[in-house]
Amino acid sequence: MRLRKNAVLYWMLLPGMILVFVFHYLPMAGLVMAFQDFKPWLGFVKSPWVGWENFQMAFQREDSLQVVWNTFFIACTKIIVNLVVPVVFALLLNEIRHMGLKKVIQTLVYLPHFLSWVVFGGIVGDILSSQGIINTLVLPSLGLDPILFLADGNWFRFVVIVSDNWKEFGFATIVFLAALSNIDPSLYEAAEVDGANRWRQTWAVTLPALVPIVIVVGTLAMSSVLNAGFDQIFNLYNPLVYDKGDIIDTFVYRVGLLNSEFGLGTAIGLFKSAVGFIMVIIAYVLASRFANYRIF
């Protein structure tokens, strides 16, 4: 009876389910390449099986261990920065009383989210190039020498983290603004009666009210601890920064597709997926325990 009553809704789900099945589940058949010396002309059936050899080879390579560390460092730093900055910005934006100005600021900071990394990466590259505005105007005015931001590994990591936050913090602020709008105004009135100024009200009322949503967002972000952003890195990096900027996804792309080491690339990708799956479970358990967040 319930199925018949909601039949239209289920039919509306069908196209999305088909797309997920075709592009997310069917390709999983290719995971067998992680256990094969895969040759395209032999296919999955005739390619020789090598067991765990590809996994052993992956962890014996010096560059693969560096890639795992790069991915972990960049992803964890992104999670922290992309959590702190939106919270702070939401608090500041919430203090603006002029609604017109508030909407203008919101619109301006949301816009970068809707740009692809192909476009946004090109903007970042132009700004930070040797002939860009930073190296030709800003640094000379401060008496500093030009910096090759995209050719130095340490600076490249900084650029990756800052540019990702620049692109996404405005959109991430929406969640915290929604949480702020749900705070009972009587709490602020009571705090004001007790003599609390705006700063004290923020510490005593606003921040405690944000703690549950911060815990949910932070714990769920753990599931992407090995996902440092292929689109961003691919559009910004170059061979000069492979030692500090190469991540698992870009490494798999180069090894698996460009170097035709399909088995090795698949093994590394499978390892990342397995770790991500475990982290999703851990994140869900933590969110359920500390923030009472449940999907089912």
Side-chain angles (χ1 to χ4, degrees):
M1 184 66 181
R2 184 178 178 183
L3 181 62
R4 185 179 302 174
K5 181 179 179 181
N6 298 315
V8 176
L9 299 178
Y10 288 117
W11 280 110
M12 291 174 64
L13 281 174
L14 186 60
M17 295 174 63
I18 292 175
L19 288 175
V20 170
F21 179 76
V22 171
F23 292 103
H24 291 271
Y25 284 92
L26 284 182
M28 291 181 68
L31 293 177
V32 297
M33 289 189 293
F35 307 96
Q36 294 178 323
D37 182 14
F38 182 77
K39 307 296 182 184
W41 55 90
L42 296 177
F44 296 137
V45 178
K46 295 185 179 180
S47 293
W49 293 86
V50 295
W52 296 97
E53 184 177 317
N54 287 321
F55 293 91
Q56 295 173 351
M57 188 184 305
F59 289 101
Q60 288 173 355
R61 295 177 55 139
E62 295 181 2
D63 52 351
S64 63
L65 296 178
Q66 181 63 42
V67 164
V68 173
W69 166 246
N70 292 343
T71 306
F72 182 79
F73 177 83
I74 293 174
C76 288
T77 308
K78 279 185 178 182
I79 290 173
I80 295 172
V81 174
N82 290 344
L83 189 62
V84 173
V85 174
V87 170
V88 174
F89 185 76
L91 292 173
L92 295 175
L93 196 60
N94 192 55
E95 294 298 316
I96 298 177
R97 294 293 173 255
H98 192 286
M99 294 305 298
L101 177 61
K102 187 174 182 179
K103 290 181 179 179
V104 169
I105 295 175
Q106 284 179 304
T107 302
L108 290 176
V109 298
Y110 292 167
L111 284 178
H113 170 79
F114 299 100
L115 297 176
S116 69
W117 269 111
V118 176
V119 176
F120 198 78
I123 295 174
V124 172
D126 288 340
I127 293 175
L128 299 179
S129 68
S130 58
Q131 301 301 318
I133 187 174
I134 300 297
N135 280 318
T136 58
L137 293 179
V138 177
L139 294 181
S141 67
L142 298 175
L144 301 175
D145 295 329
I147 298 174
L148 298 177
F149 291 97
L150 300 180
D152 181 279
N154 293 320
W155 277 110
F156 180 79
R157 284 181 175 178
F158 175 79
V159 170
V160 166
I161 294 166
V162 172
S163 61
D164 179 75
N165 186 253
W166 176 19
K167 185 176 184 295
E168 301 296 340
F169 86 93
F171 193 78
T173 303
I174 296 175
V175 176
F176 302 109
L177 283 175
L180 289 174
S181 66
N182 289 326
I183 299 176
D184 189 351
S186 63
L187 296 176
Y188 291 106
E189 295 172 1
E192 191 172 356
V193 170
D194 289 340
N197 56 23
R198 293 299 299 176
W199 178 251
R200 185 59 185 170
Q201 290 176 32
T202 300
W203 279 101
V205 178
T206 308
L207 288 179
L210 286 178
V211 168
I213 189 63
V214 170
I215 292 175
V216 170
V217 174
T219 52
L220 293 181
M222 289 174 55
S223 61
S224 59
V225 71
L226 288 183
N227 186 15
F230 172 81
D231 291 346
Q232 180 192 18
I233 303 294
F234 183 75
N235 283 285
L236 290 177
Y237 83 151
N238 58 76
L240 295 175
V241 295
Y242 279 173
D243 60 329
K244 296 292 182 68
D246 203 14
I247 61 174
I248 292 177
D249 291 333
T250 54
F251 183 69
V252 169
Y253 168 77
R254 288 204 325 277
V255 171
L257 295 181
L258 299 186
N259 295 345
S260 299
E261 299 181 52
F262 301 105
L264 179 59
T266 305
I268 298 173
L270 181 57
F271 163 75
K272 176 199 167 185
S273 299
V275 173
F277 178 72
I278 295 172
M279 293 305 297
V280 166
I281 297 175
I282 294 175
Y284 180 74
V285 171
L286 291 176
S288 175
R289 180 173 181 179
F290 294 105
N292 198 30
Y293 174 84
R294 293 182 178 86
I295 298 176
F296 306 105

